[in-house]
Amino acid sequence: MNEFTETTLSEIRRTKLQGIDLPAQMILPAYHGYSINNLPASIFKWLGKSNAPGQALAETYHQPLPGPFRKVVLLLVDGLSLRMFQNLINGGRTLTGLPDTLNPLLDKANLFGLTSVFPSTTTTALTSLWTGAAPIQHSILGYELF
């Protein structure tokens, strides 16, 4: 597996909130090209489409994956963090639930760090994936709206 996590995580860690002193290990959503809300525009780009919703992922993600491609498969595993995924892969285990034919593809895969959105609920994150918009733009923050 080609690892790009250090490159992307160093950029992600640069995301700060002005005037708020947070612990160094805290990772904030990096909506400027390092978040799941940037995936739809990148998928459009990889498919050779120009009418992408929102901002694409940073160039760091596109250099090893220049495209265009005929197909893009997005596999979403809710609640699986980068650290948990790395522990699974580095432990030599296969990902439970994946067909045996997909596990060998991990050898050819590229691994990047990527942030979720805030709040990082399934509802909010999926809406950002569907629309390419940050939560402040799409306003879907949970299952119950008033």
Side-chain angles (χ1 to χ4, degrees), residues 57-129:
L57 290 166
E59 191 57 32
T60 307
Y61 298 90
H62 290 274
Q63 288 171 351
L65 301 168
F69 302 105
R70 287 183 335 174
K71 296 177 184 177
V72 174
V73 176
L74 174 63
L75 175 65
L76 173 71
V77 182
D78 195 10
L80 180 63
S81 70
L82 175 61
R83 184 174 297 151
M84 288 170 57
F85 182 76
Q86 287 173 314
N87 288 341
L88 281 171
I89 298 304
N90 294 334
R93 298 200 230 52
T94 60
L95 295 179
T96 305
L98 277 182
D100 290 337
T101 54
L102 290 181
N103 276 304
L105 295 177
L106 292 176
D107 293 335
K108 300 175 186 176
N110 295 319
L111 183 62
F112 301 91
L114 197 62
T115 66
S116 187
V117 293
F118 181 83
S120 59
T121 63
T122 302
T123 306
T124 307
L126 288 178
T127 304
S128 289
L129 278 172

Side-chain angles (χ1 to χ4, degrees), residues 40-50 66-72:
S42 286
I43 292 171
F44 270 63
K45 184 176 179 178
W46 287 320
L47 291 171
K49 306 297 180 191
S50 59
F69 302 105
R70 287 183 335 174
K71 296 177 184 177
V72 174

